Coordinates of all heavy atoms in Angstrom, one line a residue:
M223 N -15.2 4.7 16.9 CA -14.6 3.9 15.9 C -13.2 3.6 16.3 O -12.5 4.5 16.7 CB -14.7 4.5 14.5 CG -14.1 3.7 13.4 SD -13.9 4.6 11.8 CE -15.5 4.5 11.3
F224 N -12.7 2.4 16.0 CA -11.3 2.1 16.3 C -10.5 2.8 15.3 O -10.9 3.4 14.3 CB -11.1 0.6 16.2 CG -11.7 -0.2 17.3 CD1 -13.0 -0.7 17.2 CD2 -11.0 -0.4 18.5 CE1 -13.6 -1.4 18.2 CE2 -11.6 -1.1 19.5 CZ -12.9 -1.6 19.4
Q225 N -9.2 2.7 15.5 CA -8.3 3.4 14.5 C -8.4 2.8 13.1 O -8.8 1.7 12.9 CB -6.8 3.2 15.0 CG -6.3 1.8 15.0 CD -4.9 1.6 15.5 OE1 -4.3 2.6 15.8 NE2 -4.4 0.4 15.6
E226 N -8.0 3.6 12.2 CA -8.0 3.2 10.8 C -6.7 2.3 10.7 O -5.9 2.2 11.6 CB -7.8 4.4 9.9 CG -7.8 4.0 8.4 CD -7.5 5.1 7.5 OE1 -7.4 6.3 8.0 OE2 -7.4 4.9 6.3
F227 N -6.7 1.5 9.6 CA -5.5 0.6 9.4 C -4.3 1.5 9.1 O -4.0 1.8 8.0 CB -5.8 -0.3 8.2 CG -6.9 -1.3 8.5 CD1 -8.1 -1.1 7.8 CD2 -6.8 -2.3 9.4 CE1 -9.2 -1.9 8.1 CE2 -7.9 -3.1 9.7 CZ -9.1 -2.9 9.0
K228 N -3.6 1.8 10.2 CA -2.3 2.6 10.0 C -1.2 1.8 10.7 O -1.3 1.2 11.7 CB -2.5 3.9 10.7 CG -3.5 4.8 10.1 CD -3.6 6.1 10.8 CE -4.7 7.0 10.2 NZ -5.0 8.2 11.0
N229 N -0.1 1.9 10.1 CA 1.2 1.4 10.6 C 1.1 -0.1 11.0 O 1.5 -0.5 12.0 CB 1.7 2.2 11.7 CG 2.0 3.6 11.3 OD1 2.5 3.8 10.2 ND2 1.7 4.6 12.1
I230 N 0.4 -0.9 10.2 CA 0.3 -2.3 10.4 C 1.7 -2.9 10.2 O 2.3 -2.7 9.2 CB -0.7 -2.9 9.4 CG1 -2.1 -2.4 9.6 CG2 -0.7 -4.5 9.6 CD1 -3.1 -2.8 8.6
G231 N 2.1 -3.6 11.3 CA 3.4 -4.3 11.2 C 4.6 -3.3 11.1 O 5.6 -3.7 10.7
G232 N 4.4 -2.1 11.6 CA 5.5 -1.1 11.6 C 5.8 -0.5 10.3 O 6.9 0.0 10.1
E233 N 4.9 -0.6 9.3 CA 5.2 -0.1 8.0 C 5.1 1.4 8.0 O 4.5 2.0 8.9 CB 4.1 -0.6 7.0 CG 4.1 -2.1 7.0 CD 2.8 -2.6 6.5 OE1 1.8 -1.9 6.6 OE2 2.7 -3.8 6.0
N234 N 5.7 2.1 7.0 CA 5.6 3.5 6.9 C 4.2 3.8 6.4 O 3.4 3.0 6.0 CB 6.7 4.1 6.1 CG 6.6 3.8 4.6 OD1 5.5 3.7 4.0 ND2 7.7 3.5 4.0
M235 N 3.8 5.1 6.4 CA 2.4 5.5 6.1 C 2.0 5.1 4.7 O 0.9 4.6 4.5 CB 2.3 7.0 6.3 CG 0.8 7.5 6.1 SD -0.3 6.7 7.3 CE -0.2 7.8 8.7
S236 N 2.9 5.3 3.7 CA 2.5 5.0 2.3 C 2.2 3.5 2.2 O 1.3 3.0 1.5 CB 3.5 5.4 1.3 OG 4.7 4.8 1.5
E237 N 3.0 2.6 2.9 CA 2.8 1.2 2.8 C 1.5 0.8 3.6 O 0.7 0.0 3.1 CB 3.9 0.4 3.5 CG 5.2 0.5 2.7 CD 6.4 -0.1 3.4 OE1 6.4 -0.2 4.6 OE2 7.3 -0.5 2.7
S238 N 1.2 1.5 4.6 CA -0.1 1.3 5.4 C -1.3 1.6 4.5 O -2.3 0.9 4.6 CB -0.1 2.1 6.7 OG 0.9 1.6 7.5
L239 N -1.2 2.7 3.8 CA -2.3 3.1 2.9 C -2.5 2.1 1.8 O -3.6 1.8 1.4 CB -2.1 4.5 2.3 CG -2.1 5.6 3.3 CD1 -1.8 6.9 2.6 CD2 -3.5 5.7 3.9
I240 N -1.4 1.5 1.3 CA -1.5 0.4 0.3 C -2.2 -0.8 0.9 O -3.1 -1.4 0.3 CB -0.1 0.1 -0.3 CG1 0.4 1.2 -1.1 CG2 -0.1 -1.2 -1.1 CD1 1.9 1.1 -1.5
V241 N -1.8 -1.1 2.1 CA -2.4 -2.3 2.8 C -3.9 -2.0 3.0 O -4.8 -2.9 2.7 CB -1.8 -2.6 4.2 CG1 -2.6 -3.6 5.0 CG2 -0.3 -3.1 4.0
A242 N -4.3 -0.8 3.4 CA -5.7 -0.5 3.6 C -6.5 -0.6 2.3 O -7.6 -1.1 2.2 CB -5.9 0.9 4.2
S243 N -5.9 -0.2 1.2 CA -6.5 -0.2 -0.1 C -6.7 -1.7 -0.5 O -7.7 -2.1 -1.1 CB -5.6 0.5 -1.1 OG -6.1 0.3 -2.4
R244 N -5.7 -2.5 -0.3 CA -5.7 -3.9 -0.6 C -6.8 -4.7 0.2 O -7.5 -5.5 -0.3 CB -4.4 -4.6 -0.4 CG -3.4 -4.2 -1.4 CD -2.1 -5.0 -1.2 NE -1.1 -4.5 -2.2 CZ 0.2 -4.7 -2.1 NH1 0.7 -5.4 -1.1 NH2 1.0 -4.3 -3.0
I245 N -7.0 -4.3 1.4 CA -8.1 -4.9 2.2 C -9.4 -4.6 1.6 O -10.2 -5.5 1.4 CB -8.0 -4.4 3.7 CG1 -6.8 -4.9 4.4 CG2 -9.3 -4.7 4.5 CD1 -6.5 -4.3 5.7
K246 N -9.6 -3.3 1.2 CA -10.9 -3.0 0.6 C -11.1 -3.7 -0.7 O -12.2 -4.2 -1.0 CB -11.0 -1.5 0.4 CG -11.0 -0.7 1.7 CD -10.9 0.8 1.4 CE -10.8 1.5 2.8 NZ -10.5 2.9 2.6
T247 N -10.0 -3.9 -1.5 CA -10.1 -4.6 -2.7 C -10.4 -6.1 -2.5 O -11.3 -6.7 -3.2 CB -8.8 -4.5 -3.5 OG1 -8.5 -3.2 -3.8 CG2 -8.8 -5.3 -4.8
H248 N -9.8 -6.7 -1.5 CA -10.1 -8.1 -1.1 C -11.5 -8.3 -0.7 O -12.2 -9.3 -1.0 CB -9.1 -8.6 0.0 CG -7.7 -8.8 -0.5 ND1 -6.8 -9.5 0.2 CD2 -7.1 -8.3 -1.6 CE1 -5.7 -9.5 -0.4 NE2 -5.8 -8.8 -1.5
V249 N -12.0 -7.3 0.1 CA -13.4 -7.4 0.5 C -14.4 -7.3 -0.7 O -15.3 -8.1 -0.8 CB -13.8 -6.2 1.5 CG1 -15.3 -6.1 1.8 CG2 -13.0 -6.4 2.8
K250 N -14.1 -6.4 -1.6 CA -14.9 -6.3 -2.8 C -14.9 -7.6 -3.6 O -15.9 -8.1 -4.1 CB -14.4 -5.2 -3.7 CG -14.8 -3.8 -3.2 CD -14.5 -2.8 -4.3 CE -14.0 -1.5 -3.8 NZ -13.7 -0.6 -4.9
H251 N -13.7 -8.2 -3.8 CA -13.6 -9.5 -4.5 C -14.3 -10.6 -3.8 O -15.0 -11.4 -4.5 CB -12.1 -9.9 -4.7 CG -11.4 -9.1 -5.7 ND1 -11.7 -9.1 -7.1 CD2 -10.4 -8.1 -5.6 CE1 -10.9 -8.3 -7.7 NE2 -10.1 -7.7 -6.9
Y252 N -14.3 -10.6 -2.5 CA -15.0 -11.6 -1.7 C -16.5 -11.5 -1.9 O -17.2 -12.5 -2.0 CB -14.6 -11.6 -0.2 CG -14.9 -12.8 0.5 CD1 -14.0 -13.9 0.5 CD2 -16.1 -12.9 1.2 CE1 -14.4 -15.1 1.2 CE2 -16.5 -14.1 1.9 CZ -15.6 -15.1 1.9 OH -15.9 -16.3 2.6
M253 N -16.9 -10.2 -1.9 CA -18.4 -10.0 -2.1 C -18.8 -10.5 -3.4 O -19.8 -11.1 -3.6 CB -18.7 -8.5 -1.9 CG -18.6 -8.0 -0.5 SD -18.6 -6.2 -0.3 CE -20.0 -5.7 -1.3
A254 N -18.0 -10.2 -4.5 CA -18.3 -10.6 -5.8 C -18.3 -12.1 -5.9 O -19.3 -12.7 -6.5 CB -17.4 -10.0 -6.8
A255 N -17.3 -12.8 -5.3 CA -17.2 -14.2 -5.4 C -18.4 -14.9 -4.7 O -18.8 -16.0 -5.1 CB -15.9 -14.7 -4.8
T256 N -18.9 -14.3 -3.7 CA -20.0 -14.9 -2.9 C -21.4 -14.4 -3.4 O -22.4 -14.9 -2.9 CB -19.9 -14.6 -1.4 OG1 -19.8 -13.2 -1.2 CG2 -18.6 -15.3 -0.9
G257 N -21.4 -13.5 -4.4 CA -22.7 -13.0 -4.9 C -23.4 -12.0 -4.0 O -24.6 -11.7 -4.2
I258 N -22.7 -11.4 -3.0 CA -23.3 -10.5 -2.1 C -23.2 -9.1 -2.7 O -22.1 -8.6 -3.0 CB -22.6 -10.6 -0.7 CG1 -22.7 -12.0 -0.1 CG2 -23.2 -9.5 0.2 CD1 -24.1 -12.4 0.2
K259 N -24.3 -8.4 -2.8 CA -24.4 -7.1 -3.3 C -24.0 -6.1 -2.1 O -24.3 -6.3 -1.0 CB -25.8 -6.7 -3.8 CG -26.2 -7.6 -5.0 CD -25.4 -7.3 -6.2 CE -25.8 -8.1 -7.3 NZ -24.9 -8.1 -8.4
Q260 N -23.4 -5.0 -2.5 CA -22.9 -4.0 -1.6 C -24.1 -3.4 -0.7 O -24.0 -3.3 0.5 CB -22.3 -2.9 -2.4 CG -21.6 -1.9 -1.6 CD -20.8 -0.9 -2.5 OE1 -19.9 -1.3 -3.2 NE2 -21.1 0.3 -2.4
C261 N -25.2 -3.1 -1.3 CA -26.3 -2.6 -0.6 C -26.9 -3.6 0.4 O -27.2 -3.2 1.5 CB -27.4 -2.2 -1.6 SG -28.8 -1.3 -0.8
Y262 N -27.0 -4.8 0.0 CA -27.5 -5.9 0.9 C -26.6 -6.1 2.1 O -27.0 -6.1 3.2 CB -27.6 -7.2 0.1 CG -28.0 -8.4 1.0 CD1 -29.4 -8.5 1.3 CD2 -27.1 -9.3 1.5 CE1 -29.8 -9.6 2.1 CE2 -27.5 -10.3 2.3 CZ -28.8 -10.5 2.6 OH -29.2 -11.5 3.4
L263 N -25.2 -6.1 1.8 CA -24.3 -6.3 2.9 C -24.4 -5.1 3.9 O -24.3 -5.3 5.1 CB -22.9 -6.5 2.4 CG -21.8 -6.7 3.5 CD1 -22.1 -7.9 4.4 CD2 -20.4 -6.8 2.8
A264 N -24.4 -3.9 3.3 CA -24.5 -2.7 4.2 C -25.7 -2.9 5.2 O -25.5 -2.6 6.4 CB -24.7 -1.5 3.3
K265 N -26.8 -3.2 4.7 CA -28.0 -3.3 5.5 C -27.9 -4.5 6.5 O -28.3 -4.3 7.7 CB -29.3 -3.5 4.7 CG -29.6 -2.3 3.9 CD -30.8 -2.6 3.0 CE -31.1 -1.3 2.1 NZ -32.2 -1.6 1.2
E266 N -27.3 -5.6 6.1 CA -27.1 -6.7 7.0 C -26.2 -6.4 8.2 O -26.3 -7.0 9.3 CB -26.6 -7.9 6.2 CG -27.6 -8.6 5.3 CD -28.7 -9.2 6.1 OE1 -28.5 -10.1 7.0 OE2 -29.9 -8.9 5.9
I267 N -25.2 -5.6 8.0 CA -24.2 -5.3 9.0 C -24.5 -3.9 9.7 O -23.7 -3.5 10.5 CB -22.8 -5.3 8.5 CG1 -22.5 -4.2 7.5 CG2 -22.4 -6.7 8.0 CD1 -21.0 -4.1 7.1
G268 N -25.7 -3.4 9.4 CA -26.1 -2.2 10.1 C -25.6 -0.8 9.6 O -25.5 0.1 10.4
Y269 N -25.2 -0.8 8.4 CA -24.7 0.5 7.8 C -25.7 1.1 6.8 O -26.4 0.3 6.1 CB -23.4 0.3 7.0 CG -22.2 0.1 7.9 CD1 -21.7 -1.1 8.3 CD2 -21.5 1.3 8.4 CE1 -20.6 -1.2 9.1 CE2 -20.4 1.1 9.2 CZ -19.9 -0.1 9.5 OH -18.8 -0.3 10.3
D270 N -25.7 2.4 6.7 CA -26.5 3.0 5.7 C -25.7 2.7 4.3 O -24.5 2.7 4.3 CB -26.4 4.6 5.9 CG -27.0 5.3 4.7 OD1 -28.2 5.3 4.5 OD2 -26.2 6.0 4.0
P271 N -26.5 2.3 3.3 CA -25.8 1.9 2.0 C -24.9 2.9 1.5 O -23.8 2.6 0.9 CB -27.0 1.6 1.1 CG -28.1 1.1 2.0 CD -27.9 2.0 3.2
K272 N -25.3 4.2 1.6 CA -24.4 5.3 1.1 C -23.1 5.3 1.8 O -22.0 5.4 1.2 CB -25.1 6.6 1.1 CG -24.3 7.7 0.5 CD -25.0 9.1 0.6 CE -24.2 10.2 0.0 NZ -24.9 11.5 0.1
R273 N -23.2 5.2 3.1 CA -22.0 5.3 4.0 C -21.1 4.1 3.7 O -19.9 4.2 3.6 CB -22.4 5.3 5.5 CG -21.3 4.8 6.4 CD -20.6 6.0 7.1 NE -19.8 5.6 8.2 CZ -18.5 5.4 8.1 NH1 -17.9 5.5 7.0 NH2 -17.8 5.1 9.1
F274 N -21.7 2.9 3.5 CA -20.9 1.7 3.2 C -20.3 1.8 1.9 O -19.1 1.4 1.7 CB -21.8 0.4 3.3 CG -21.1 -0.8 3.2 CD1 -20.3 -1.3 4.2 CD2 -21.1 -1.6 2.0 CE1 -19.6 -2.5 4.2 CE2 -20.4 -2.8 1.9 CZ -19.6 -3.2 3.0
S275 N -20.9 2.4 0.9 CA -20.3 2.6 -0.4 C -19.1 3.5 -0.3 O -18.0 3.2 -0.9 CB -21.3 3.2 -1.4 OG -20.7 3.5 -2.6
Q276 N -19.2 4.5 0.5 CA -18.0 5.4 0.7 C -16.9 4.7 1.4 O -15.7 4.9 1.0 CB -18.5 6.6 1.6 CG -19.4 7.6 0.9 CD -20.0 8.6 1.8 OE1 -20.0 8.5 3.0 NE2 -20.4 9.7 1.2
L277 N -17.2 3.8 2.3 CA -16.2 3.0 3.0 C -15.5 2.0 2.1 O -14.3 2.0 2.1 CB -16.9 2.3 4.2 CG -16.1 1.4 5.0 CD1 -15.5 2.3 6.1 CD2 -16.9 0.3 5.7
I278 N -16.3 1.3 1.4 CA -15.7 0.2 0.5 C -15.0 0.8 -0.7 O -14.2 0.1 -1.3 CB -16.8 -0.8 0.2 CG1 -16.3 -2.2 -0.1 CG2 -17.7 -0.3 -1.0 CD1 -15.8 -2.9 1.1
N279 N -15.3 2.0 -1.1 CA -14.7 2.6 -2.2 C -13.6 3.6 -1.9 O -13.1 4.3 -2.7 CB -15.7 3.3 -3.2 CG -16.6 2.2 -3.8 OD1 -16.1 1.3 -4.5 ND2 -17.9 2.3 -3.6
G280 N -13.2 3.6 -0.6 CA -12.1 4.4 -0.2 C -12.3 5.9 0.1 O -11.4 6.6 0.3
R281 N -13.6 6.3 0.1 CA -13.8 7.8 0.3 C -13.8 8.1 1.8 O -13.7 9.3 2.1 CB -15.1 8.2 -0.4 CG -15.0 8.2 -2.0 CD -16.1 8.7 -2.7 NE -17.3 7.9 -2.6 CZ -17.6 6.9 -3.4 NH1 -16.7 6.5 -4.3 NH2 -18.7 6.2 -3.3
V282 N -14.0 7.1 2.6 CA -13.9 7.3 4.0 C -13.0 6.2 4.5 O -13.0 5.1 4.0 CB -15.2 7.3 4.8 CG1 -16.1 8.5 4.4 CG2 -16.0 6.1 4.6
P283 N -12.2 6.4 5.6 CA -11.3 5.3 6.1 C -12.1 4.1 6.7 O -13.1 4.3 7.3 CB -10.5 6.0 7.1 CG -11.1 7.3 7.4 CD -12.1 7.6 6.3
M284 N -11.6 2.9 6.4 CA -12.1 1.7 7.0 C -11.4 1.5 8.3 O -10.2 1.4 8.3 CB -12.0 0.5 6.0 CG -12.5 -0.8 6.6 SD -12.3 -2.2 5.6 CE -13.6 -1.9 4.4
G285 N -12.2 1.3 9.3 CA -11.6 1.0 10.6 C -11.6 -0.5 10.9 O -12.2 -1.3 10.2
I286 N -11.0 -0.8 12.0 CA -10.9 -2.2 12.4 C -12.4 -2.7 12.7 O -12.7 -3.9 12.4 CB -10.0 -2.4 13.6 CG1 -8.6 -2.1 13.2 CG2 -10.1 -3.8 14.2 CD1 -7.6 -1.9 14.4
D287 N -13.2 -1.9 13.4 CA -14.5 -2.3 13.7 C -15.4 -2.5 12.4 O -16.2 -3.4 12.4 CB -15.2 -1.3 14.6 CG -15.3 0.1 14.1 OD1 -14.4 0.5 13.2 OD2 -16.2 0.9 14.5
D288 N -15.1 -1.8 11.4 CA -15.8 -2.0 10.1 C -15.4 -3.4 9.5 O -16.3 -4.1 9.1 CB -15.4 -0.9 9.1 CG -15.7 0.5 9.5 OD1 -16.8 0.7 10.1 OD2 -14.8 1.4 9.4
L289 N -14.1 -3.7 9.5 CA -13.7 -5.0 9.0 C -14.3 -6.1 9.9 O -14.7 -7.2 9.4 CB -12.2 -5.1 9.0 CG -11.6 -6.3 8.4 CD1 -12.0 -6.6 7.0 CD2 -10.1 -6.3 8.5
A290 N -14.3 -5.9 11.2 CA -14.9 -6.9 12.1 C -16.3 -7.2 11.8 O -16.7 -8.4 11.8 CB -14.7 -6.4 13.5
R291 N -17.1 -6.2 11.5 CA -18.5 -6.4 11.1 C -18.6 -7.2 9.8 O -19.5 -8.1 9.7 CB -19.2 -5.1 10.9 CG -19.6 -4.4 12.2 CD -20.4 -3.1 11.8 NE -20.6 -2.3 13.0 CZ -21.7 -1.5 13.1 NH1 -22.5 -1.3 12.1 NH2 -21.8 -0.8 14.2
I292 N -17.8 -6.9 8.8 CA -17.8 -7.6 7.6 C -17.4 -9.1 7.8 O -18.1 -10.0 7.3 CB -16.9 -6.9 6.6 CG1 -17.4 -5.5 6.2 CG2 -16.7 -7.8 5.3 CD1 -16.4 -4.7 5.5
C293 N -16.4 -9.3 8.6 CA -15.9 -10.7 8.8 C -17.0 -11.5 9.6 O -17.2 -12.6 9.4 CB -14.6 -10.6 9.6 SG -13.2 -10.0 8.6
K294 N -17.6 -10.8 10.6 CA -18.7 -11.5 11.3 C -19.8 -11.9 10.4 O -20.3 -13.0 10.6 CB -19.2 -10.6 12.4 CG -20.2 -11.2 13.3 CD -20.6 -10.3 14.5 CE -21.6 -10.9 15.4 NZ -22.1 -10.1 16.5
Y295 N -20.2 -11.1 9.5 CA -21.3 -11.4 8.6 C -20.9 -12.7 7.8 O -21.7 -13.6 7.6 CB -21.6 -10.3 7.6 CG -22.6 -10.7 6.6 CD1 -23.9 -10.8 6.8 CD2 -22.1 -11.1 5.3 CE1 -24.8 -11.2 5.9 CE2 -23.0 -11.6 4.3 CZ -24.3 -11.6 4.6 OH -25.2 -12.1 3.7
F296 N -19.7 -12.7 7.2 CA -19.2 -13.8 6.4 C -18.7 -15.0 7.2 O -18.5 -16.1 6.6 CB -18.1 -13.4 5.4 CG -18.6 -12.5 4.3 CD1 -18.2 -11.2 4.1 CD2 -19.4 -13.1 3.3 CE1 -18.6 -10.4 3.1 CE2 -19.8 -12.3 2.2 CZ -19.4 -11.0 2.1
R297 N -18.6 -14.8 8.5 CA -18.1 -15.9 9.4 C -16.7 -16.3 9.0 O -16.5 -17.5 8.9 CB -19.1 -17.0 9.5 CG -20.4 -16.6 10.0 CD -21.4 -17.7 10.1 NE -22.7 -17.2 10.4 CZ -23.7 -17.9 11.0 NH1 -23.5 -19.2 11.3 NH2 -24.8 -17.3 11.3
I298 N -15.9 -15.4 8.8 CA -14.5 -15.7 8.4 C -13.5 -14.8 9.3 O -13.9 -13.8 9.9 CB -14.2 -15.4 6.9 CG1 -14.5 -13.9 6.6 CG2 -15.0 -16.3 6.0 CD1 -14.2 -13.5 5.2
S299 N -12.3 -15.2 9.3 CA -11.3 -14.4 9.9 C -10.8 -13.2 9.1 O -10.9 -13.3 7.9 CB -10.0 -15.3 10.2 OG -8.9 -14.6 10.6
A300 N -10.4 -12.2 9.8 CA -9.9 -11.0 9.1 C -8.7 -11.3 8.2 O -8.3 -10.6 7.3 CB -9.6 -9.9 10.1
D301 N -8.0 -12.4 8.6 CA -6.8 -12.8 7.8 C -7.1 -13.0 6.4 O -6.2 -12.9 5.5 CB -6.2 -14.1 8.4 CG -5.7 -14.0 9.8 OD1 -5.5 -12.8 10.3 OD2 -5.5 -15.0 10.5
V302 N -8.3 -13.3 6.0 CA -8.7 -13.5 4.6 C -8.5 -12.2 3.8 O -8.2 -12.3 2.7 CB -10.2 -14.0 4.5 CG1 -10.7 -14.0 3.1 CG2 -10.4 -15.4 5.2
F303 N -8.7 -11.1 4.5 CA -8.6 -9.8 3.8 C -7.3 -9.1 4.0 O -7.1 -8.1 3.3 CB -9.8 -8.9 4.3 CG -11.2 -9.5 4.0 CD1 -12.1 -9.6 5.0 CD2 -11.5 -9.9 2.7 CE1 -13.3 -10.1 4.8 CE2 -12.8 -10.4 2.5 CZ -13.7 -10.5 3.5
I304 N -6.5 -9.5 5.0 CA -5.3 -8.7 5.3 C -4.2 -9.3 4.6 O -3.8 -10.5 4.9 CB -5.1 -8.7 6.8 CG1 -6.3 -8.0 7.5 CG2 -3.8 -8.0 7.1 CD1 -6.2 -8.0 9.0
P305 N -3.6 -8.6 3.6 CA -2.5 -9.1 2.8 C -1.2 -9.1 3.7 O -0.6 -8.0 3.9 CB -2.4 -8.2 1.6 CG -3.0 -6.9 2.1 CD -4.0 -7.3 3.2
I306 N -0.7 -10.2 4.1 CA 0.5 -10.3 4.9 C 1.6 -11.0 4.1 O 1.3 -12.2 3.7 CB 0.3 -10.9 6.3 CG1 -0.7 -10.1 7.1 CG2 1.6 -11.1 7.0 CD1 -1.1 -10.7 8.4
D307 N 2.7 -10.4 4.0 CA 3.8 -11.1 3.3 C 4.7 -11.7 4.4 O 5.5 -11.0 5.1 CB 4.6 -10.1 2.5 CG 5.8 -10.8 1.8 OD1 6.0 -12.0 1.9 OD2 6.6 -10.0 1.2
C308 N 4.6 -13.0 4.7 CA 5.3 -13.6 5.8 C 6.8 -13.8 5.5 O 7.6 -14.0 6.4 CB 4.7 -15.0 6.1 SG 3.0 -14.9 6.7
S309 N 7.2 -13.6 4.2 CA 8.6 -13.8 3.9 C 9.4 -12.6 4.5 O 10.7 -12.8 4.6 CB 8.8 -13.8 2.4 OG 8.4 -12.5 1.8
S310 N 8.8 -11.5 4.9 CA 9.6 -10.4 5.4 C 9.6 -10.5 7.0 O 10.3 -9.6 7.6 CB 8.9 -9.1 5.0 OG 7.6 -9.0 5.5
V311 N 9.0 -11.5 7.6 CA 9.0 -11.6 9.0 C 10.3 -12.3 9.4 O 10.6 -13.4 8.9 CB 7.8 -12.4 9.5 CG1 7.9 -12.6 11.0 CG2 6.5 -11.7 9.1
P312 N 11.1 -11.7 10.3 CA 12.3 -12.4 10.8 C 12.0 -13.7 11.5 O 11.0 -13.8 12.2 CB 13.0 -11.4 11.6 CG 12.0 -10.4 12.0 CD 10.9 -10.5 11.0
D313 N 13.0 -14.6 11.4 CA 12.8 -15.9 12.2 C 13.0 -15.7 13.6 O 13.6 -14.9 14.1 CB 13.8 -16.9 11.6 CG 13.5 -17.3 10.2 OD1 12.3 -17.4 9.9 OD2 14.4 -17.6 9.5

């Protein structure tokens, strides 16, 4: 498994955990908006439903490869789930 979402954009650890939590929240909202059930998505992307539940509910860390599988299923960019505040990026 690739690394968990840590130190994205040079953030400190607590900020990185907040970002990881927001990614999971965004994934859940996207699933709800598209009518995709957690168990169905788990099976479609090759996960055991229990493991996927633990992943999506924050009981196990979500890695980059996990997010990539989800994005591949929905045929969207990971940018949809990654909350980036561009106002803090220097010119």
Side-chain angles (χ1 to χ4, degrees):
M223 179 189 285
F224 289 93
Q225 67 180 356
E226 182 186 355
F227 297 107
K228 295 179 183 173
N229 298 324
I230 298 171
E233 301 158 340
N234 67 41
M235 185 58 87
S236 63
E237 289 173 340
S238 294
L239 292 174
I240 291 169
V241 169
S243 175
R244 287 182 183 164
I245 290 170
K246 292 171 188 176
T247 300
H248 289 197
V249 170
K250 284 192 219 181
H251 286 292
Y252 197 87
M253 288 169 51
T256 57
I258 300 295
K259 300 291 183 192
Q260 190 172 298
C261 184
Y262 177 79
L263 179 58
K265 291 176 182 177
E266 287 294 305
I267 64 173
Y269 283 95
D270 171 71
K272 183 178 178 181
R273 162 102 167 92
F274 189 72
S275 175
Q276 293 171 337
L277 180 85
I278 206 74
N279 290 304
R281 290 188 290 279
V282 296
M284 180 180 284
I286 294 169
D287 57 336
D288 302 314
L289 183 59
R291 285 183 184 205
I292 294 166
C293 291
K294 184 177 180 180
Y295 172 81
F296 285 115
R297 298 178 188 205
I298 58 173
S299 169
D301 295 344
V302 171
F303 300 125
I304 300 174
I306 297 176
D307 179 8
C308 293
S309 64
S310 64
V311 177
D313 293 328

